[in-house]
Amino acid sequence: MTAKRGPLAGIRVLDCTGVIVGPTATLLLAEQGAEVIKVEPPEGDLMRRLGGKAPANAPGMSPKFMHFNRNKRSIVLDLKAPEGQEVIRRLAATSDVFVSNMRPRALASLGLTWAALSALNPRLVHCTIAGFASGGPYDGAPAYDTIIQGLSGVAACLETVIGEPRFAPFVLTDHIVGIIAAQAICAALVARAGTGEGQAVEVPMFENAAAFVLSEHLGQRTHDPEGSFGDPRIMTPDARPMKTRDGYICVSANTDAQARGFFAAIGRPELMQDPRFCSVAARLANVAAYFALRAEVMLERGTAEWVALLRRHDVPAMPYNTLASLLEDPQLRGSGVLTQEEGEEHMLGLRHANRFSGSGLPESRLAPRQGEHAEAILTELGYAPAERARLLGKEKVA
Amino acid sequence: MTAKRGPLAGIRVLDCTGVIVGPTATLLLAEQGAEVIKVEPPEGDLMRRLGGKAPANAPGMSPKFMHFNRNKRSIVLDLKAPEGQEVIRRLAATSDVFVSNMRPRALASLGLTWAALSALNPRLVHCTIAGFASGGPYDGAPAYDTIIQGLSGVAACLETVIGEPRFAPFVLTDHIVGIIAAQAICAALVARAGTGEGQAVEVPMFENAAAFVLSEHLGQRTHDPEGSFGDPRIMTPDARPMKTRDGYICVSANTDAQARGFFAAIGRPELMQDPRFCSVAARLANVAAYFALRAEVMLERGTAEWVALLRRHDVPAMPYNTLASLLEDPQLRGSGVLTQEEGEEHMLGLRHANRFSGSGLPESRLAPRQGEHAEAILTELGYAPAERARLLGKEKVA
């Protein structure tokens, strides 16, 4: 077994992405041991400034930038300049993966299409995270998370439960599609292990987001043109953490065994014979009544008491965490996923949550300063000292 | 180049998962060409009944089950019976990937741990989707999506914007962690291509969900123990589709170029000099005022007119879709991601959204009936006709 450097050790990723969707994809690859070279424009990744207030002594290192870019290396390139073009072509020739979330027109104007880069490196996996699948009527239109949330039905699902169109309070489609892109890239690397050939991978945000929404909520419309949308267990306003005497609790009791345990825990075992609640199908058909009953009874005791009681009946139950209480959660702290960074006073960092028994994970490194690894990367590409000095001296190039 | 069978053609996945998180992971693998053998208990995947009303002539084929299980094969096994145990061990010996979302105790009692299965097949990638990372205080506790949404801060983020703890109207953490598991599995397959060895991969739902939430919303708390949580651009109540004269519109204008375009489009170019709006940092610091200004001006015209006008200024803008209008969206229909299934009157199906230029994708098949492929799978495993008849005849086995 090789050293514990992560399952993607030895994979080099040329990362021409910014903001959230692309950096999410390359974060996963970097956390799993890939060498990710983040190419930033002269003004830096927008998220350096848009991701919250950076510490006074570290401009550009906003919290959100920090959390989406750890374990990466950074080089600044002006891809419109001939010098920047030459560097990126050398990088493409020596990389396993190229990822961008530029619009197709920009990609073509910079000579970074699959056609252009595969001519340099036929083993390259070339991933374009696009707003929309190519060839359709929105092809090339700009896409940002809120645009996609509104267009793909995410905001519509919120409207169903809260009465007005709203965005989910996350960069939800960026974040999800970024993970999808990392998966698609790895699938193409699996294919390459067999064929020896790279390929172009297109990951469209809108279509992936719409499939995410519709797979859950196409519902009865799947079979009936007049059927209702939505999973009623999820779309009911009662699908929420329930108030207890001293806080909130989350309970899940879908199977017959869980429902039986729940009715026993609340001292009403006879409800398992109630025709409204006696089977999965019955509880689904009477979901509003079932959830209302649950909400009412939870008010009778405190959260910790309920959790212990329900768990004794093997009913899944956990307290509700605020963001502040989440930081103190013993499971999260114990897992090492949330950590106090060494040598960075007060800096809370995040870590990859998955574990690989054979490959392990690489040591975690903080997100790079803008251009931090430019000299090292140019050296690795074979640029002589004088060339490096010239490139690094030109403000717009590296 | 091989035939267009998907990047994961040739990979066999032994899928001992149910409901959403595991089936999401194996759906991605199946859509990309892996052979996924779905092992169902005698009562079938719970989602067959919990996923909405099935057509009268196809019991167990609920809409949600259909959308999360296409392209898979199904065999029913009673894993507690010796016959079922023998079949699953033969399957494990001939598979590339094993995936389960059973709790650790159940996995051990069935002899399906990494230790047990790697002894049969050291090349196996053994993925356990767990509620919680092993070794922590919640290790082995039951986990369902709502439990994890409440515990990981998803519901807390909803509370911040709507005033009370609520679940996002999706099986959000199941769905996201399922995608994460598919990515982790493929990363381990990439590693195997180099080492020749399989490994155990642990994908914990809670820790992944908490990292998803905190990477976005740890915010100023990252550097300051008294700092505020949350990305203010997302946590503001004004982060929503905006009302127009005749509907709703989504607009994204974060960069300086986009803000300039937006102010020009609304006929107030001078706002680009307003100290509240003149830079990314200024608009972030005055996000409530910026969003309020946008919301007010959008009321002045209809959605289509605004979309055209904003797009002429290269400002990302799209109409808001309800779930009903999403089904008519020309981009979604044109992409083939939403399709009318042939031979299934009125059945709307979904398709994989990503495209692979070299590998292509396999033909899409509808989700399997319970046990549909049992005889074929047993035949492939070398069971003689009499043995198959015996296994298939026993109600609880296959």
Side-chain angles (χ1 to χ4, degrees), chain A residues 1 7-8 32 46 50 52-53 55 63-64 67-68 103 132-134 136-138 141-142 144 147 150-152 155-159 161 164-167 169-171 175 179-180 182-184 186-187 189-191 193 197 199-204 206-208 210 212-213 215-223 225 229 231 233-234 237 239-241 248 250 252 255 258 280 284 311 314 316-321 323-324 326-327 329-332 335 337 346-348 350 353-359, chain B residues 1 7-8 32 46 49-50 52-53 55 63-64 67-68 103 132-134 136-138 141-142 144 147 150-152 155-159 161 164-167 169-171 175 179-180 182-184 186-187 189-191 193 197 199-204 206-208 210 212-213 215-223 225 229 231 233-234 237 239-241 248 250 252 255 258 280 311 314 316-321 323-324 326-327 329-332 335 337 346-348 350 353-359:
Chain A
M1 185 57 62
L8 299 180
Q32 293 172 350
L46 183 63
L50 202 58
K53 207 175 77 180
K64 211 157 176 176
H67 298 312
F68 282 90
R103 283 194 261 172
F132 305 96
S134 56
Y138 307 161
Y144 286 81
I147 302 282
L151 201 64
S152 67
C157 291
L158 271 289
E159 178 177 19
V161 289
E164 58 172 7
R166 285 291 282 269
F167 301 130
F170 305 96
V171 198
H175 206 152
I179 300 166
I180 289 173
Q183 192 278 328
C186 288
L189 288 171
V190 172
E197 294 176 22
Q199 60 182 308
V201 181
E202 180 181 287
V203 178
F206 168 59
E207 284 81 357
N208 273 297
F212 188 100
V213 169
S215 62
E216 293 204 21
H217 293 307
L218 198 49
Q220 300 308 316
R221 186 62 67 101
T222 302
H223 291 107
F229 288 101
D231 180 331
R233 292 183 314 125
I234 289 170
R240 64 176 85 184
Y248 289 91
C250 303
S252 181
T255 68
Q258 289 160 356
V280 169
L284 183 61
R311 296 277 290 282
D314 213 25
M318 279 285 182
Y320 161 75
N321 265 334
L323 292 180
L326 176 60
L327 297 194
D329 187 282
Q331 173 74 26
L332 187 62
S335 70
V337 168
H346 298 317
M347 160 103 197
L348 283 175
L350 296 165
N354 306 318
R355 296 178 189 178
F356 296 85
S357 70
S359 308
Chain B
M1 186 57 61
L8 299 179
Q32 292 172 351
L46 183 63
R49 289 163 290 143
L50 202 59
K53 209 175 76 180
K64 211 157 175 174
H67 298 311
F68 282 90
R103 283 194 261 172
F132 305 95
S134 56
Y138 307 161
Y144 287 81
I147 303 282
L151 201 63
S152 67
C157 291
L158 272 289
E159 178 177 17
V161 289
E164 57 172 7
R166 285 291 282 268
F167 301 129
F170 305 97
V171 200
H175 206 152
I179 300 166
I180 289 172
Q183 192 278 328
C186 288
L189 288 171
V190 171
E197 294 176 22
Q199 60 183 307
V201 181
E202 180 180 287
V203 178
F206 168 60
E207 284 81 357
N208 273 297
F212 188 100
V213 169
S215 62
E216 293 205 22
H217 293 307
L218 199 50
Q220 300 308 316
R221 185 63 68 103
T222 302
H223 291 108
F229 288 100
D231 180 330
R233 292 184 313 126
I234 289 170
R240 64 175 86 186
Y248 289 91
C250 303
S252 182
T255 66
Q258 289 160 356
V280 169
R311 296 278 290 283
D314 213 27
M318 279 285 182
Y320 161 75
N321 265 333
L323 292 180
L326 176 60
L327 297 194
D329 188 282
Q331 173 74 27
L332 187 62
S335 71
V337 168
H346 298 317
M347 159 104 197
L348 283 176
L350 296 166
N354 305 319
R355 296 179 189 177
F356 296 84
S357 70
S359 308

